[in-house]
Amino acid sequence: MQNTSSTQTLATKPSVNQLSAPLVKRLIEQAETLHVGVSKHATDCTIVDAGIQFPGCAEAGRLIAEICMGGLGEVSLQADDRFADWHDAIAVSSTQPVFACLASQYAGWALSHEKFFSLGSGPARALAQREDLFKELAYVDSGTSTCIVLETDKVPPVEVIEKILRDTKMSGEQLTIILTPTTSVAGVVQIVGRVLEVALHKAHTLHFPLENIVSGTGLAVLPPVANDFMTGMGRTNDAILFGGFVSLQVKGDDAAAAKLAQDLPSSASKDYGKTFAEVFKFYEMDFYKIDPMLFSPAKVAVTNIDTGNVFEAGQLNADLINISFR
């Protein structure tokens, strides 16, 4: 039985499902303008095709990135003058980065059936509670509708959709599934839009107290869309590893803030120095053999709001961006 104080604490936490619902509604209502397809599945759920049969667009990817963040982040497309040949970027900010990034945007829900496999991200994760991460966050959500984003080029089999409905305790008409292939412009935008989330996940891996992260912003260069999954996966990872910058505002002591800044950049990893595709091939396509410390932005700034001191580390890597993007 929950005590009153913990119930009050939960009640004050933002609902990623309720806050993202208007964004999902906008995506569906503007489907024609955004060049995405909307259809009803046999299970009564809504399928949004953002790059399989329909081309999608960068604006669709931007909106999907905000949906992934549970309505707790602002995402914008902007010009980027940091690299000689690549001039488009995605900027992300959140004043609730722990909930936006870890309780919603992080692709942590593994969904598979026979030959189908995809990692689910978005607010449905907070209803399903299938990951230990939610116990650590002490975060439980509710809502009258939900949405999951899958990085895939095919509609999930009915068994996967039924699992999502069971685990979220939603009916078909309450669920929207957004499909964003890595080889689509919307897919590229929403994946690279995870630049802040990657930093939050690394901070969690480094055991930095999440309650001490107050807010955050991120900027990452957008790569050209690839025509095959492997190239697309490499480019979208490299956009963050070598072309991503994150600024975190934290509280606490300077020693912890300085150590976070030192350990956070991708260059702190033993696998740093080659494009992601090269690293992936080196480990014989086994994602889990790659040093988890590699998955982080190229450059970071950590500001301690208690002392006003700023700690910076890492660097952008134009050479590896050029190798990857060409």
Side-chain angles (χ1 to χ4, degrees):
M1 187 171 175
Q2 281 188 322
N3 62 46
T4 308
S5 61
S6 90
T7 305
Q8 287 172 340
T9 306
L10 283 174
T12 61
K13 292 178 181 177
S15 168
V16 292
N17 280 279
Q18 292 174 35
L19 290 170
S20 61
L23 300 172
V24 176
K25 185 170 183 278
R26 191 191 315 167
L27 178 68
I28 292 169
E29 287 177 346
Q30 297 180 1
E32 190 173 349
T33 306
L34 297 172
H35 308 296
V36 301
V38 178
S39 60
K40 271 288 178 188
H41 189 266
T43 57
D44 279 338
C45 75
T46 298
I47 304 284
V48 177
D49 173 351
I52 306 173
Q53 299 296 327
F54 291 76
C57 64
E59 174 59 18
R62 185 201 68 78
L63 186 53
I64 293 165
E66 288 192 344
I67 291 168
C68 279
M69 296 183 81
L72 289 170
E74 292 185 1
V75 180
S76 62
L77 300 167
Q78 62 183 56
D80 190 356
D81 61 2
R82 299 173 304 158
F83 300 96
D85 298 323
W86 319 104
H87 303 296
D88 296 312
I90 186 165
V92 183
S93 66
S94 179
T95 55
Q96 295 269 9
V98 173
F99 296 130
C101 296
L102 298 183
S104 192
Q105 190 179 25
Y106 174 56
W109 190 4
L111 293 162
S112 63
H113 179 75
E114 295 178 349
K115 292 183 178 179
F116 179 87
F117 177 81
S118 185
L119 291 170
S121 63
R125 291 177 51 242
L127 295 180
Q129 299 278 310
R130 299 294 295 176
E131 305 152 57
D132 292 340
L133 179 58
F134 287 98
K135 293 190 185 75
E136 294 180 54
L137 298 175
Y139 184 73
V140 179
D141 197 21
S142 62
T144 55
S145 64
T146 193
C147 176
I148 190 165
V149 177
L150 301 177
E151 188 185 326
T152 179
D153 61 0
K154 54 179 70 73
V155 175
V158 67
E159 291 85 358
V160 167
I161 295 176
E162 287 173 345
K163 174 179 172 52
I164 296 167
L165 292 172
R166 277 197 311 273
D167 289 354
T168 58
K169 298 180 173 61
M170 287 280 169
S171 61
E173 61 269 17
Q174 294 172 302
L175 171 66
T176 299
I177 301 176
I178 302 173
L179 309 177
T180 60
T182 316
T183 52
S184 69
V185 62
V188 166
V189 169
Q190 76 90 10
I191 295 167
V192 181
R194 297 168 185 273
V195 57
L196 179 59
E197 176 260 299
V198 167
L200 265 289
H201 188 256
K202 176 91 172 264
H204 175 249
T205 303
L206 292 168
H207 304 295
F208 185 83
L210 295 177
E211 64 273 15
N212 286 356
I213 301 176
V214 178
S215 61
T217 61
L219 179 72
V221 63
L222 285 170
V225 178
N227 60 11
D228 67 275
F229 170 77
M230 196 64 68
T231 305
M233 181 177 68
R235 286 178 179 176
T236 50
N237 273 283
D238 293 339
I240 294 173
L241 303 184
F242 310 122
F245 169 70
V246 164
S247 174
L248 295 178
Q249 291 71 50
V250 304
K251 57 187 180 181
D253 62 77
D254 276 346
K259 180 158 177 52
L260 177 64
Q262 176 189 332
D263 295 343
L264 202 53
S266 54
S267 54
S269 165
K270 66 181 178 64
D271 283 334
Y272 181 86
K274 295 178 179 176
T275 65
F276 184 80
E278 289 178 295
V279 173
F280 195 54
K281 286 171 189 167
F282 176 79
Y283 286 113
E284 299 170 326
M285 315 293 186
D286 188 339
F287 195 82
Y288 295 101
K289 285 183 180 176
I290 300 170
D291 178 16
M293 295 295 114
L294 180 65
F295 300 99
S296 36
K299 187 177 178 181
V300 302
V302 178
T303 301
N304 185 345
I305 61 171
D306 289 338
T307 65
N309 291 323
V310 182
F311 305 93
E312 297 184 354
Q315 67 282 322
L316 301 176
N317 193 323
D319 291 341
L320 285 173
I321 286 288
N322 286 333
I323 293 169
S324 175
F325 288 11
R326 287 197 163 91

